[in-house]
Amino acid sequence: MAKIVSTLFSSLDGVVEIDPAWHFPYFDEAMGAGVGEDYADVDVLLIGRGTYESFAGAWPERETAGGEDAAFAAELGDMRKVVVTRGHQDLGWRNAEALQGDLIEAVRALSAEEGVDKILIPGSISVVRQLLAAGLLDELRLFVHPVAARQGERLFDEGQPIYPFRLLHSEAYPAGVVRLVYETSELPGEQTYDDVTDKVPGADKG
């Protein structure tokens, strides 16, 4: 089965709906390298319709323009892109196809396809939420910006159950962004306060 990875830009207060006003001032070479790592060895981009329209409305033109970002634009164009959409119209970008049928069933089938080892979900908040709820997300990768956005859509909504994660990697960038890589996991135990009283400050002096 393929590894399913979410990559998101986040503010300190959990907003993952990008606002250029707080995102681009912190985008440096280190973040660019981190983004490149997320996109390395990707077999399929799984994209919600809103995120796809943002990508398709910008990256093909950037590839044609031949600027410094043209190589990455071409890489995106060459990737297989599966778009979560109810529409059946032409998606207007090479290697893009509409996801067929129920999201969860389709993603299970996609992850089982021969030759598909890594599925990356850029943005696409609703898709990530649904895959988390279904237990299909393997990794959550966050670029946490040192800013409180105070408005915009957050990844996690109110509800049950909780979603425990285990930290795999962390890295602080010069501009102040922290990259956090988590895998979905289980709680490390069922402790209550009575189980940790020996670990509070000063407990060894009692």
Side-chain angles (χ1 to χ4, degrees), residues 116-127:
V116 176
D117 296 316
K118 181 179 177 182
I119 299 171
L120 184 68
I121 311 167
S124 311
I125 303 167
S126 175
V127 174

Side-chain angles (χ1 to χ4, degrees), residues 1-205:
M1 300 292 284
K3 178 190 291 185
I4 302 177
V5 177
S6 164
T7 180
L8 292 160
F9 300 116
S10 173
S11 65
L12 282 177
D13 52 345
V15 173
V16 290
E17 181 183 359
I18 296 177
D19 182 343
W22 59 256
H23 172 55
F24 290 114
Y26 296 101
F27 200 106
D28 57 9
E29 290 183 359
M31 189 190 293
V35 170
E37 183 177 326
D38 284 352
Y39 281 83
D41 302 318
V42 168
D43 298 298
V44 178
L45 286 182
L46 179 64
I47 317 180
R49 185 58 193 247
T51 300
Y52 176 78
E53 289 180 351
S54 175
F55 275 38
W59 289 110
E61 292 182 4
R62 291 168 181 164
E63 180 181 359
T64 301
E68 291 180 316
D69 53 0
F72 184 62
E75 180 182 341
L76 291 175
D78 291 340
M79 285 181 183
R80 179 185 176 191
K81 294 170 282 292
V82 177
V83 184
V84 181
T85 177
R86 292 189 177 93
H88 299 286
Q89 65 271 33
D90 180 12
L91 292 168
W93 194 8
R94 70 181 184 276
N95 300 316
E97 62 192 78
L99 180 138
Q100 302 296 321
D102 175 76
L103 171 65
I104 302 306
E105 293 179 1
V107 171
R108 285 197 179 104
L110 182 63
S111 67
E113 284 187 15
E114 185 177 353
V116 176
D117 296 316
K118 181 179 177 182
I119 299 171
L120 184 68
I121 311 167
S124 311
I125 303 167
S126 175
V127 174
V128 175
R129 285 180 183 151
Q130 292 177 73
L131 296 186
L132 270 172
L136 291 181
L137 192 73
D138 295 302
E139 287 188 11
L140 177 64
R141 302 184 180 186
L142 300 173
F143 294 86
V144 182
H145 296 52
V147 60
R150 304 185 67 195
Q151 61 181 351
E153 191 169 3
R154 290 167 170 78
L155 174 59
F156 300 110
D157 52 4
E158 298 287 335
Q160 293 289 336
I162 63 172
Y163 296 135
F165 294 89
R166 185 171 75 89
L167 182 66
L168 298 177
H169 175 74
S170 64
E171 184 178 4
Y173 295 153
V177 170
V178 178
R179 182 175 183 241
L180 302 170
V181 178
Y182 292 98
E183 68 176 358
T184 51
S185 184
E186 302 290 338
L187 289 173
E190 297 181 358
Q191 291 92 339
T192 67
Y193 179 75
D194 290 338
D195 298 313
V196 300
T197 54
D198 60 330
K199 300 177 180 63
V200 302
D204 57 347
K205 300 178 182 179

